[in-house]
Amino acid sequence: MISWQSVKLFLKAQVSAFSGGVTDYGLMILLTEWLHIHFTISILISGTIGGIVNFCINRFWAFKNNEGYCSTATGQLIRFFTVVLGSISLKSGGTYLLHSAINLDYKIGRLLIDSIVSYGFNYPLMKYWVFKTNEARDFDYEEEEYFEPISREQRI
């Protein structure tokens, strides 16, 4: 059963991703269309800046946790940018493949690839690796619930 907390966390993460994504996508268009930088390079630059926006919103709002994190802010930043580099590589490579294979406009291809990468790559890694919390897990249990004490007769 999916809890309201899980849905709320997912929605907050999507708002954060959308904010970083709007920054990323808008800057990509600006760099490519106005400054005539090749779209693969524009994706690298815009993805980095969009990533900074996304990290700040994720850390201080979307994945904020009062129980604390399993990693320091520096550790989270390193993990975050590892995910962002993977994400940028997937987005840039996927957009390029769609453009060269079926001549799909890079702006449309980027939107398609973004949706796949965001839900299938970014969100799971952000939730379970980058912003992993110290909260007790659902599988916490008390030993006696699963193991009955052994009687004297059973030991012999």
Side-chain angles (χ1 to χ4, degrees):
M1 172 74 56
I2 296 175
S3 70
W4 170 244
Q5 263 187 323
S6 295
V7 171
K8 187 176 165 185
L9 177 64
F10 179 77
L11 293 174
K12 287 171 86 173
Q14 296 318 302
V15 168
S16 177
F18 181 76
S19 300
V22 166
T23 302
D24 179 0
Y25 191 77
L27 192 53
M28 177 198 69
I29 299 295
L30 174 86
L31 294 171
T32 304
E33 298 295 326
W34 290 5
L35 298 179
H36 306 289
I37 297 173
H38 193 269
F39 67 84
T40 55
I41 303 300
S42 295
I43 291 171
L44 176 66
I45 296 166
S46 65
T48 302
I49 294 171
I52 292 168
V53 169
N54 189 286
F55 177 80
C56 292
I57 296 170
N58 275 335
R59 177 151 172 79
F60 298 108
W61 182 66
F63 291 101
K64 183 178 180 180
N65 189 285
N66 294 332
E67 301 298 321
Y69 297 107
C70 292
S71 180
T72 64
T74 303
Q76 287 176 334
L77 193 59
I78 291 167
R79 289 177 179 195
F80 181 84
F81 277 104
T82 301
V83 173
V84 167
L85 287 175
S87 178
I88 290 170
S89 299
L90 291 169
K91 290 174 184 180
S92 184
T95 303
Y96 178 78
L97 286 174
L98 286 178
H99 178 72
S100 49
I102 60 174
N103 202 29
L104 186 64
D105 183 86
Y106 78 94
K107 292 174 267 193
I108 296 168
R110 170 70 192 274
L111 290 173
L112 292 172
I113 295 297
D114 269 11
S115 61
I116 295 167
V117 172
S118 292
Y119 298 119
F121 181 80
N122 293 352
Y123 179 73
L125 288 173
M126 293 297 170
K127 182 177 179 183
Y128 297 111
W129 188 53
V130 177
F131 297 107
K132 185 177 178 183
T133 64
N134 289 328
E135 285 184 89
R137 299 289 172 228
D138 292 338
F139 54 81
D140 285 346
Y141 61 90
E142 292 194 25
E143 193 172 311
E144 58 268 9
E145 289 179 18
Y146 292 96
F147 302 103
E148 293 181 28
I150 297 175
S151 69
R152 183 177 171 96
E153 292 81 28
Q154 290 172 324
R155 281 185 242 159
I156 298 177

